[in-house]
Amino acid sequence: MPGFEIFGDEERRQVQDVLDTGVLFRYGFDAARKGHWKAKTFESEFAARLGAAHCHLCSSGSAALNVALAACGVGYGDEVVVPPFTFVATVEAVLLAGAVPVFAEIDETLCLDPRAVEQVLTPRTRAVIPVHMCGSMARIDALVDLCRRHRLVLIEDACQAVGGTFQGRALGTFGSMGCFSFDSVKTITCGEGGAVVTGHADLYRLAHQFSDHGHDHAQADRGAEGHPVLGMNCRISELNAAVGLAQLRKLDGILARQRETKQALKDALAACPAVTWRQVPDPEGDSATFLSFLLPDEERARRAAANLAAAGVDSCFFWYDNNWHYLRRWDHFRTLQSPARLPQTTLPNFAGLQEARVPVSDGIIGRTISMQIKLSWSDTDIASRGERMAAVLAKI
Ligand SMILES: *Cc1c(COP(=O)(O)O)cnc(C)c1O
């Protein structure tokens, strides 16, 4: 998965372009930058790659989520449906927007179950944020349909699923807005960076304005620009964008290698009866950054995770115990003392958040192991890994 494994001259050349001009800022300085517009170039290439009308690059995937919520007008008093299995940033973004996260169950796609979303809707529900976890997709067609029927805003958290598709269409382009992360461990990296994509010109305008203190970006003299909306600084620097540009141009190669590796490992585990695969609504569109599998029960999953580690099979995650990706371990919700003024009146009880009843998700995450697929593994590494995994998992 991590693009940092394949840094090379391409990244160095892009960064050198920026250093040679001394223009690290993405706006203005037209003459001094000698034709180098790294953020803008990334945006147009990424939008074209995804088939999205608009892309705005920002400082992180977390910022992208904040930008999307702000652009879509989701905030104080609104309820936003989120999965309990995600990187915690999805939930933080909802809280920091002044809205209330409402957890709905996942299914064996490891993403929101559309039928479970339907069950938690209230008159205050304003938006749904499915998270395309671990490189593969939610049942996005059903979620699009649900949001249309109930007139809800759909924001996709595609931070872990760059390059993934559903029925040929890029993940992140189904909702009003799609959010991506290019942080240091994602499939492609800017060092730090993120993006929103959208098909709506008005949401794009609000996104780039909000990300830059409301600047309307309407004229060359930055100091004289209007600021029609309240905003903040979610800007990316040209240096980070330059790294991302080189990485974006490697995306097809990354996906091809990940898919090949994943298939080889699945083949190696074909004779392990206890192992079932995570459901993938459209296998062709899996970006294959992870190999995720389920064991029959939590006890066997724990044993499998321990035995894989003992056999030297690294890069495996047992998410149920993971501090960052599953609700049960977000202990900071219990004692939440944020310096921001969080929506105490709409959400008096943060401890209640962590105690949300999601027994189906507990059951699924308690049985799931995901292995990150690395780009640095040689064919020999992959074969030996497959053998070691099969030896452990055949006996579980
Ligand atoms: C990485 C990630 C984010 C946050 O992205 P950053 O760039 O690290 O801020 C949000 N959601 C998910 C699902 C992620 O994996």
Side-chain angles (χ1 to χ4, degrees):
M1 145 152 156
F4 72 75
E5 293 179 283
I6 53 164
F7 276 154
D9 286 343
E10 301 82 0
E11 285 78 3
R12 274 186 280 279
R13 268 201 300 274
Q14 291 291 342
V15 170
Q16 194 62 49
D17 284 346
V18 177
L19 293 176
D20 287 347
T21 65
V23 180
L24 310 192
F25 194 59
R26 64 158 301 170
Y27 296 111
F29 299 93
D30 293 29
R33 64 172 65 242
K34 303 197 181 106
H36 295 301
W37 298 89
K38 300 303 181 188
K40 268 192 195 170
T41 308
F42 183 107
E43 286 164 352
S44 64
E45 290 190 19
F46 194 60
R49 174 76 173 68
L50 265 57
H54 309 281
C55 168
H56 181 69
L57 196 54
C58 46
S59 49
S60 69
S62 305
L65 287 159
N66 287 296
V67 168
L69 288 164
C72 293
V74 179
Y76 184 78
D78 293 333
E79 291 180 358
V80 180
V81 181
V82 291
F85 178 48
T86 179
F87 179 60
V88 68
T90 320
V91 185
E92 289 173 335
V94 172
L95 285 167
L96 291 168
V100 178
V102 174
F103 294 100
E105 299 275 19
I106 60 167
D107 61 20
E108 289 193 11
T109 62
L110 308 185
C111 303
L112 275 182
D113 173 356
R115 284 165 311 177
V117 173
E118 195 106 38
Q119 283 163 14
V120 300
L121 300 182
T122 75
R124 301 224 300 217
T125 311
R126 187 70 208 298
V128 181
I129 310 184
V131 185
H132 301 294
M133 278 303 276
C134 306
S136 176
M137 74 225 63
R139 300 185 197 282
I140 194 67
D141 51 346
L143 290 165
V144 166
D145 176 62
L146 177 145
C147 288
R148 276 211 187 107
R149 277 189 285 114
H150 295 279
R151 296 174 184 278
L152 300 173
V153 174
L154 176 64
I155 295 172
E156 292 171 83
D157 181 338
C159 286
Q160 295 192 7
V162 67
T165 56
F166 177 74
Q167 292 176 353
R169 183 166 158 188
L171 301 180
T173 64
F174 287 85
S176 295
M177 293 196 118
C179 302
F180 292 87
S181 166
F182 310 116
D183 78 20
S184 54
V185 296
K186 294 297 203 280
T187 307
I188 58 175
T189 182
C190 292
E192 296 282 3
V196 289
V197 299
T198 180
H200 304 276
D202 52 342
L203 293 181
Y204 167 66
R205 178 176 45 77
L206 288 168
H208 71 70
Q209 292 177 349
F210 178 85
S211 304
D212 187 22
H213 299 291
H215 274 267
D216 61 12
H217 304 132
Q219 56 166 298
D221 179 1
R222 200 169 150 78
E225 279 182 338
H227 33 90
V229 299
L230 191 72
M232 58 184 285
N233 177 1
C234 302
R235 293 185 306 254
I236 193 157
S237 90
E238 284 285 277
L239 285 172
N240 294 92
V243 175
L245 187 56
Q247 291 260 300
L248 176 58
R249 292 172 179 171
K250 297 179 178 180
L251 180 58
D252 285 328
I254 292 174
L255 295 173
R257 179 62 180 166
Q258 288 179 166
R259 287 173 177 150
E260 195 181 16
T261 305
K262 184 164 180 172
Q263 192 55 52
L265 291 169
K266 282 182 83 167
D267 291 347
L269 301 184
C272 300
V275 171
T276 53
W277 305 115
R278 170 234 186 120
Q279 290 177 14
V280 179
D282 176 10
E284 299 245 309
D286 181 3
S287 68
T289 56
F290 283 88
L291 176 67
S292 298
F293 51 93
L294 287 84
L295 281 302
D297 51 58
E298 184 178 332
E299 192 200 321
R300 272 183 278 190
R302 285 187 181 279
R303 203 175 336 127
N307 292 358
L308 286 169
V313 179
D314 62 3
S315 304
C316 291
F317 297 89
F318 179 58
W319 298 115
Y320 201 56
D321 288 347
N322 183 288
N323 231 337
W324 292 101
H325 293 81
Y326 194 64
L327 166 76
R328 297 284 166 236
R329 295 295 310 277
W330 294 335
D331 296 334
H332 57 321
F333 284 175
R334 244 173 236 288
T335 52
L336 201 59
Q337 299 287 339
S338 171
R341 287 172 61 90
L342 287 168
Q344 308 287 358
T345 49
T346 44
L347 192 66
N349 178 9
F350 287 107
L353 261 186
Q354 201 193 18
E355 282 148 20
R357 260 184 55 77
V358 281
V360 176
S361 307
D362 289 341
I364 291 170
I365 296 300
R367 296 191 291 120
T368 301
I369 294 175
S370 296
M371 187 174 69
Q372 194 177 34
I373 290 182
K374 294 268 180 74
L375 297 167
S376 50
W377 294 341
S378 69
D379 290 349
T380 321
D381 294 339
I382 294 164
S384 129
R385 177 171 288 262
E387 277 165 31
R388 279 176 289 146
M389 291 178 80
V392 169
L393 294 171
K395 290 189 297 217
I396 284 297

